[in-house]
Amino acid sequence: MTDADLVVIAHRGFAGVNPENTVGAVRAAASRADRVELDAVACADGTPIVFHDARLDSGPESRGITDGTGTVADHPPETVTAATVRGSGERVPTLDRLVAETAVPLDVELKRPGTSVRRGSLPAAERTAARERWQPFVDRVLDELGDRDVRFSSFCEGALAAVRERDSSVPLAPLCRNLDVGRELAARYDADAIHPSLAAVRAGDVPTDRTVNVWTIRTWHEARDAVASGADGLIADYPGLTRWL
């Protein structure tokens, strides 16, 4: 693979140099990446919000990256979107605002539909219920994205199943820490890609029948290791990490 063939995906809009998951970050990353990755979660009324953590402030699964407080899933959208990210002046956006104000191709990670969810591959008996928990949120996300160039990823089988229930052709990429799980979910939901961790590709036999984009790349030598392991793309926190390949 040459450097020109390698796909660079800006993780949360290159979160190492920009206020993550914001309109400003996506705009800043657009000229230095092939695609931009972002996170989609539901707030109290189901509105899709572009945010990663469970809470606006610090707490379980949360780093305290905004000046807001409380759990995203408990707040209405006007409360969530009033929060600014790390004092940058960039506010937490709704998905529809981000779509309206940017144009770059997106990788959207479906993280939380407002209820508790399970990650990984599920027993057959649990798959329908998992999909149904995700379906209302996934339908709203798809509606708001319209005809945008987008690929959906998730650690949660229910999210992948809900996308497939709605659209048989939209690109999918299971997120995984274990390549066997990624392969299993990719086959089950006809995914064109797998998004494994760097540790997974270092330890495993990287698939050659699907695109493999590796997360989260933070240094030039991690980029080099990912490519040496067979990565087709890098989900990176910083631009310019391919310079020494």
Side-chain angles (χ1 to χ4, degrees), residues 1-10 14 31-34 213-214 217-228 231-245:
M1 174 183 294
T2 67
D3 187 45
D5 297 324
L6 188 69
V7 173
V8 175
I9 303 167
F14 287 137
S31 64
R32 305 192 71 180
D34 299 289
N213 300 312
V214 179
I217 306 302
R218 298 184 174 92
T219 66
W220 65 269
H221 48 91
E222 287 182 345
R224 185 181 59 188
D225 288 355
V227 172
D232 301 294
L234 308 176
I235 303 174
D237 267 350
Y238 299 90
L241 297 181
T242 61
R243 181 176 181 181
W244 299 103
L245 296 180

Side-chain angles (χ1 to χ4, degrees), residues 67-245:
D67 59 0
T69 59
T71 303
V72 174
D74 292 339
H75 285 315
E78 56 268 25
T79 299
V80 178
T81 58
T84 59
V85 178
R86 296 197 184 280
S88 64
E90 287 286 324
R91 297 186 183 276
V92 177
T94 58
L95 180 62
D96 63 350
R97 179 191 161 213
L98 186 138
V99 170
E101 297 183 13
T102 65
V104 66
L106 298 174
D107 270 56
V108 175
E109 180 184 346
L110 298 164
K111 289 196 72 68
R112 290 184 303 279
T115 57
S116 60
V117 292
R118 283 184 57 189
R119 292 184 168 194
S121 177
L122 300 175
E126 298 180 21
R127 290 173 196 159
T128 297
R131 177 187 60 76
E132 290 173 347
R133 282 192 292 274
W134 276 96
Q135 199 70 56
F137 178 64
V138 166
D139 286 344
R140 288 194 66 169
V141 169
L142 281 160
D143 287 343
E144 292 185 5
L145 284 160
D147 60 359
R148 187 67 168 261
D149 180 351
V150 62
R151 173 172 52 205
F152 291 99
S153 65
S154 188
F155 284 101
C156 302
E157 179 168 359
L160 302 173
V163 175
R164 268 295 165 262
E165 179 73 10
R166 169 72 180 265
D167 190 320
S168 62
S169 62
V170 66
L172 286 178
L175 282 156
C176 62
R177 296 179 183 274
N178 180 293
L179 284 171
D180 288 340
V181 172
R183 287 190 185 92
E184 180 182 346
L185 292 175
R188 188 173 296 152
Y189 297 102
D190 190 26
D192 68 323
I194 298 173
H195 290 180
S197 67
L198 178 59
V201 299
R202 280 171 168 165
D205 182 19
V206 174
T208 58
D209 59 338
R210 288 178 171 83
T211 299
V212 176
N213 300 312
V214 179
W215 56 271
T216 301
I217 306 302
R218 298 184 174 92
T219 66
W220 65 269
H221 48 91
E222 287 182 345
R224 185 181 59 188
D225 288 355
V227 172
S229 297
D232 301 294
L234 308 176
I235 303 174
D237 267 350
Y238 299 90
L241 297 181
T242 61
R243 181 176 181 181
W244 299 103
L245 296 180

Side-chain angles (χ1 to χ4, degrees), residues 28-50:
S31 64
R32 305 192 71 180
D34 299 289
R35 308 179 68 85
V36 174
E37 187 266 356
L38 54 84
D39 301 297
V41 301
C43 62
D45 67 357
T47 298
I49 300 292
V50 181

